[in-house]
Amino acid sequence: MNNTVILPRGGFFLSNDTNKLSIFALGGVNEIGKNMYAIQYADDIVIIDCGSKFPDETLLGIDLIIPDITYLLENRDKVRGILITHGHEDHIGGLPYILRQFPMPIYATRLTLGLIEGKLKEAKLLGGTERILIHSESEVQLGSIKATFFKTNHSIPDCLGIVFHTPEGVVVHTGDFKFDLTPVNEQYADLHKMAEIGKAGVLALLSESTNAERPGFTPSERVVGEYIVEEFHKARQKVFISTFASNVHRLQQIIDAAHVTNRKLALLGRSMVNVVTIASELGYLNIPEGMIIEPAEVNRFDSSRVALLCTGSQGEPMAALSRLARGNFRHIEIHPGDTVIFSATPIPGNERNVAQTVDDLYRLGAKVIYGSGSVTGMHVSGHASQEELKLMLSLMKPQYFIPIHGEFRMLHQHRLLAEAVGVEPGHTFILNIGEVVEIRKGIARQAGKVPAGNTHVDGLGIGDVGNIVLRDRKHLSQDGILIVVTILSKSEGKIVSGPDMISRGFVYIRESEGLLDEANRLVTDVINKLQTENINQWSTIKSHVKEVLGRFLYEKTGRRPMILPVIMEI
Amino acid sequence: MNNTVILPRGGFFLSNDTNKLSIFALGGVNEIGKNMYAIQYADDIVIIDCGSKFPDETLLGIDLIIPDITYLLENRDKVRGILITHGHEDHIGGLPYILRQFPMPIYATRLTLGLIEGKLKEAKLLGGTERILIHSESEVQLGSIKATFFKTNHSIPDCLGIVFHTPEGVVVHTGDFKFDLTPVNEQYADLHKMAEIGKAGVLALLSESTNAERPGFTPSERVVGEYIVEEFHKARQKVFISTFASNVHRLQQIIDAAHVTNRKLALLGRSMVNVVTIASELGYLNIPEGMIIEPAEVNRFDSSRVALLCTGSQGEPMAALSRLARGNFRHIEIHPGDTVIFSATPIPGNERNVAQTVDDLYRLGAKVIYGSGSVTGMHVSGHASQEELKLMLSLMKPQYFIPIHGEFRMLHQHRLLAEAVGVEPGHTFILNIGEVVEIRKGIARQAGKVPAGNTHVDGLGIGDVGNIVLRDRKHLSQDGILIVVTILSKSEGKIVSGPDMISRGFVYIRESEGLLDEANRLVTDVINKLQTENINQWSTIKSHVKEVLGRFLYEKTGRRPMILPVIMEI
């Protein structure tokens, strides 16, 4: 036995000495949203997910953020395709933008593909995109990498975890998951398959960290259904209920509650209609015949026989529930005594909008059920809490661990959980986007970077709004702009017209005539003085005007508007 | 006995038939912060508090919001003074701005006055302001209104509730309060006095609603002290702890924890130094001799012998803890193994900043205790929960009730609590700012409005930034500005110079030459065409340029920059 060679796990014999396995994220680590990961072996790159995220309040005017795919564009010939774990925006929202730059084949399950196809159709990209339908038992060969799959529980049906069989060993990507042992619609997770994968040996695990700060075990989705039915029973008038349109399990439970309480159901809000249509066409929603009615029909029924399923659970100002709360929705009004249920917990950053909507609803006299789902019972998370994360780690028993989907503190807490269940210290990699973990002969190390970053979508522009434009927007938003237009005569060396002052977002001109008159005199003096001294480079004149005017205005108003001297010469 | 006249409560005999009692808010109802209330009887107006609040993200560039005091300015001769319930910003923050417009006498307790004087000194208003020191046993006659006081518990010492004895009856204003039966520093509330006030008869109660949505009874401040001591004991290295500087009880408990664990204490952050100085000078903080050290001295002590009390519990980017987390604080570094405690719950809207700070701290290797105080034990609220609000209502037994301090849903919940403990339906008034409750001969009704609103502070300007300026800032922040400068010759009827395009916050000019060249041609064509047609009113030319250019740019970029045509004629 002394001569036995201990082989590194993961298939040393298949490995080519010069080849290596690389794992990196183009989005989704040290951030929430915009998920995009890559597994590369030799000349084969496989992508997982292509999400978007919303900008924070510092990125003024930006509509959406998607991953920077420079690395993929530079390695076009190596990219074998993109596997999608599930149909949430933070996993599919980037597709219409990325595919326009770089068409590649998409692999996804039925519901996920249905939702993606809706997006691609809108973006006029459906025809040009190769789409491959997969399911949990599929095997996909992508160059030297083979992908197999396992079912997981999450707040949308048809979710997959992915197993990558590479010459270097097995890499598992969980996608989003929880362990829901009493799932809605029989969407059971492949618990036994996960156990087998772990038993056969996992070289590296990428597991999601959204709830890594949360102790315990996330409650089953089914629990929410019981609370909903109870409120539907209690209500004597209309029931409005709002949740994430994509939470198809929740939609099913709301449909069921309407059914057992003998209510018709109206769908309010574009994305709600959209998801219910796709999900029911594909068989993921079971809707009793004749239950769904049009908004215009609502008033034909007794108020105790109607429920309304609305968008707007996050208080989004233009969503159905917010418009209803403001009394601004065609055909439908909320009356005193109606019940309104928020079947969602406000996401940090959305509290103010939700609170505003609740205030408006109370003003209308409604009974409102709102606040954290853990208090109201009206919402549970779709993500694994600490005990479930430990369960996944214990099933997979990975040699190396890469926590994904989360900001640093979540990845950090996930590392602590991993170490608590036996992942060796030093075997966890907390990555920034672009940072590469390289595995060769069973040994992992962090090695180099690929280009990665945020690409801003603004209107039709993808990536054309950079730091200079954003810095200007920031400046303009705080103190506005003061434009100073002057015409100089080249021949005579003096001011022919102006200086004229135009203020936007700084002061209201009619109320600030004194201030601007004084500013005008200052600018005139500066320019005249420079002309007398024969200093007539525009750049010098401009910088003098900026300096003198900036100092004067700050002294008088405590503000620093952008000052834009425009000098024309004739 | 049959002839006994049943008198309305509140002193019918003193009342003059033509006189009446009015109660209204200039700030603090249907909003959080900016508290300012008024009690008026005949020609006597008494003000309660003068707070400020921070603008939400829609009020671009605005620094602070204070109450609109038009009504007080219009009734200068009637205002008898301003009573301050306690020293928090939402109760005193407006003073430096309001007193500049309208000097009036201020009545406050010792600590409150100390904090106010700090503000007035900075604003150079100390000399010109009459300040009257009061305590819980003071009696203040303000025209026909006499004010007496009772002590309450809150997250700052020296808080008062106010009892207004008017010819029409007694009006009670609670200020901010909780019932803390084991308070820190022996700051007991006047429970028996409250009972007596209620027994003698209260015509109207104004009670705070901050936690009216929260069931139960807010835990005692003392509980937090035990958790803090425990962590101080466990820590083997430096302990950084952050809380609201104004929470003097918390500061005392942190000082005590440092004392029992034999640590020196350094104060980091201007407001922390400021409050500790004022509170200890006035005897509200008990600091052991030699305990406080300068930040520069910290490194002279063993790390296990030092604690650091910091500003920044809400993740404010420029506060001490945030700068420490970024490794950007003079003299002091956070090392792996140091402990950092957030002794505060993130206020909605601040979660992202707090999360960013926690991420940075974890990157430094610190042990971080963060999150909701109800989970960590490191924070309790200073405001009454539902059972305490019911206790106050039960003690005061008011005939009429005006819930204050809160957004609509809180006021609404507070009304439900009041009705649950016996306030008659219809006797609760939920007011908007400016709306007046009028009481005459014991009967209250809502009657009319006084001017009220938000006054914006921007730099040195008070109230000069109105809707037009804000709308422009909003527009500029989203899509920037494109300025088109053209010089026309009056005599020749043609373009002499330009059109020149200047973009700020719209597109980056160097990367958009094609777009702007095309725009240039369009504008040239429009102006030339109008000149040919002899249309040369500037307003017509400008509106044509705006329209053509706006349509073109939206088509090409999906954005709508502000378009500013500047036409000069020579």
Side-chain angles (χ1 to χ4, degrees), chain B residues 79-139:
Chain B
V79 178
R80 304 289 163 244
I82 178 160
L83 307 177
I84 307 292
T85 58
H86 65 286
H88 278 153
E89 286 299 311
D90 51 337
H91 297 260
I92 67 171
L95 281 172
Y97 307 97
I98 301 292
L99 290 174
R100 192 170 295 145
Q101 299 171 70
F102 179 16
M104 43 187 158
I106 298 175
Y107 298 80
T109 54
R110 212 144 54 90
L111 179 62
T112 308
L113 212 49
L115 293 166
I116 291 171
E117 287 172 349
K119 284 185 167 296
L120 297 185
K121 208 165 176 179
E122 220 169 279
K124 300 194 171 54
L125 290 166
L126 193 56
T129 306
E130 189 184 347
R131 308 178 309 275
I132 301 99
L133 180 68
I134 55 172
H135 54 76
S136 64
E137 303 311 311
S138 299
E139 287 192 16

Side-chain angles (χ1 to χ4, degrees), chain A residues 30 57 60 213 351-352 359 362-363 370 409 413 458 460 464 473 477 483 505 557 559 564 570, chain B residues 30 57 213 351-352 359 362-363 370 409 413 458 460 464 473 477 483 505 557 559 564 570:
Chain A
N30 282 302
E57 60 284 358
L60 294 166
E213 295 168 287
E351 291 93 346
R352 286 187 196 166
D359 283 346
Y362 270 139
R363 284 199 187 91
Y370 66 99
R409 64 198 177 286
Q413 299 284 13
D458 182 3
L460 301 176
D464 68 331
R473 286 183 186 170
S477 76
I483 301 157
T557 67
R559 303 176 204 159
L564 192 69
I570 54 160
Chain B
N30 281 304
E57 62 284 356
E213 295 168 287
E351 291 92 347
R352 286 187 197 167
D359 283 346
Y362 271 139
R363 284 198 188 93
Y370 67 99
R409 65 199 177 284
Q413 299 284 11
D458 182 3
L460 301 175
D464 68 330
R473 285 184 188 171
S477 77
I483 302 156
T557 68
R559 303 176 205 161
L564 192 68
I570 55 162

Side-chain angles (χ1 to χ4, degrees), chain A residues 30 55-57 60-63 213 348-353 355-356 358-360 362-364 366 368 370 407-410 412-413 415-416 432 458-465 468-470 472-474 476-481 483 485-487 496-498 500 502-508 511-512 546 554-559 562 564-566 568-570, chain B residues 30 55-57 60-63 213 348-353 355-356 358-360 362-364 366 368 370 407-410 412-413 415-416 432 458-465 468-470 472-474 476-481 483 485-487 496-498 500 502-508 511-512 546 554-559 562 564-566 568-570:
Chain A
N30 282 302
D56 67 26
E57 60 284 358
L60 294 166
I62 299 299
D63 301 323
E213 295 168 287
N350 293 346
E351 291 93 346
R352 286 187 196 166
N353 280 340
Q356 177 65 57
V358 174
D359 283 346
D360 291 342
Y362 270 139
R363 284 199 187 91
L364 296 176
V368 189
Y370 66 99
E407 296 180 354
F408 188 84
R409 64 198 177 286
M410 305 166 189
H412 172 79
Q413 299 284 13
R415 166 166 56 191
L416 298 182
N432 283 310
D458 182 3
L460 301 176
I462 301 177
D464 68 331
V465 171
I468 295 174
V469 170
L470 284 171
D472 284 348
R473 286 183 186 170
K474 178 84 185 161
L476 292 166
S477 76
Q478 290 302 299
D479 287 323
I481 187 167
I483 301 157
V485 189
T486 317
I487 306 183
V496 187
S497 175
D500 288 342
I502 306 165
S503 157
R504 287 291 184 277
F506 166 49
V507 291
Y508 187 48
E511 290 168 358
S512 311
K546 273 190 187 180
Y554 185 71
E555 208 172 89
K556 292 289 180 186
T557 67
R559 303 176 204 159
M562 183 182 284
L564 192 69
V566 179
M568 312 278 284
E569 229 171 21
I570 54 160
Chain B
N30 281 304
D56 67 25
E57 62 284 356
L60 293 167
I62 300 299
D63 300 324
E213 295 168 287
N350 294 346
E351 291 92 347
R352 286 187 197 167
N353 280 340
Q356 176 66 55
V358 174
D359 283 346
D360 291 342
Y362 271 139
R363 284 198 188 93
L364 296 175
V368 190
Y370 67 99
E407 297 179 352
F408 188 84
R409 65 199 177 284
M410 304 167 190
H412 172 78
Q413 299 284 11
R415 167 166 55 191
L416 299 181
N432 282 312
D458 182 3
L460 301 175
I462 301 177
D464 68 330
V465 172
I468 295 174
V469 170
L470 284 172
D472 284 349
R473 285 184 188 171
K474 179 82 185 165
L476 292 166
S477 77
Q478 290 303 300
D479 286 325
I481 187 169
I483 302 156
V485 189
T486 317
I487 306 182
V496 186
S497 176
D500 288 343
I502 306 166
S503 157
R504 288 290 184 277
F506 166 49
V507 291
Y508 187 47
E511 290 169 358
S512 311
K546 272 191 187 180
Y554 185 70
E555 206 173 276
K556 291 291 181 184
T557 68
R559 303 176 205 161
M562 183 181 284
L564 192 68
V566 178
M568 312 277 283
E569 229 171 22
I570 55 162

Side-chain angles (χ1 to χ4, degrees), chain B residues 345-552:
Chain B
T345 300
I347 293 169
N350 294 346
E351 291 92 347
R352 286 187 197 167
N353 280 340
V354 171
Q356 176 66 55
T357 306
V358 174
D359 283 346
D360 291 342
L361 291 167
Y362 271 139
R363 284 198 188 93
L364 296 175
K367 171 185 175 182
V368 190
I369 299 170
Y370 67 99
S372 165
S374 62
V375 175
T376 64
M378 289 299 178
H379 182 67
V380 296
S381 173
H383 298 277
S385 298
Q386 292 180 347
E387 294 308 315
E388 294 153 280
L389 295 174
K390 282 154 69 181
L391 178 54
M392 179 64 85
L393 283 154
S394 300
L395 285 168
M396 293 297 169
K397 292 190 299 175
Q399 202 169 337
Y400 295 104
F401 176 50
I402 303 174
I404 57 172
H405 298 186
E407 297 179 352
F408 188 84
R409 65 199 177 284
M410 304 167 190
L411 306 178
H412 172 78
Q413 299 284 11
H414 206 174
R415 167 166 55 191
L416 299 181
L417 297 173
E419 292 177 358
V421 299
V423 170
E424 277 184 45
H427 279 210
T428 297
F429 294 90
I430 296 187
L431 302 178
N432 282 312
I433 52 172
E435 288 179 354
V436 178
V437 169
E438 190 181 290
I439 309 182
R440 198 198 287 255
K441 298 185 182 174
I443 307 299
R445 62 184 189 97
Q446 213 174 307
K449 282 192 74 167
V450 303
N454 287 333
T455 295
H456 301 147
V457 178
D458 182 3
L460 301 175
I462 301 177
D464 68 330
V465 172
N467 287 339
I468 295 174
V469 170
L470 284 172
R471 199 191 54 203
D472 284 349
R473 285 184 188 171
K474 179 82 185 165
H475 189 167
L476 292 166
S477 77
Q478 290 303 300
D479 286 325
I481 187 169
L482 187 69
I483 302 156
V484 188
V485 189
T486 317
I487 306 182
L488 298 179
S489 159
K490 204 165 190 166
S491 51
E492 300 169 59
K494 71 181 182 75
I495 296 173
V496 186
S497 176
D500 288 343
M501 305 259 170
I502 306 166
S503 157
R504 288 290 184 277
F506 166 49
V507 291
Y508 187 47
I509 293 218
R510 282 193 212 162
E511 290 169 358
S512 311
E513 281 168 10
L515 178 78
L516 294 182
D517 284 351
E518 209 175 328
N520 213 316
R521 277 194 296 276
L522 271 177
V523 173
T524 308
D525 290 350
V526 169
I527 297 178
N528 283 340
K529 182 156 173 287
L530 291 170
Q531 294 285 318
T532 322
E533 294 165 8
N534 259 324
I535 297 168
N536 43 27
Q537 297 96 318
W538 286 11
S539 59
T540 312
I541 301 178
K542 283 182 182 178
S543 68
H544 274 80
V545 168
K546 272 191 187 180
E547 198 206 313
V548 168
L549 203 48
R551 205 181 323 125
F552 168 75

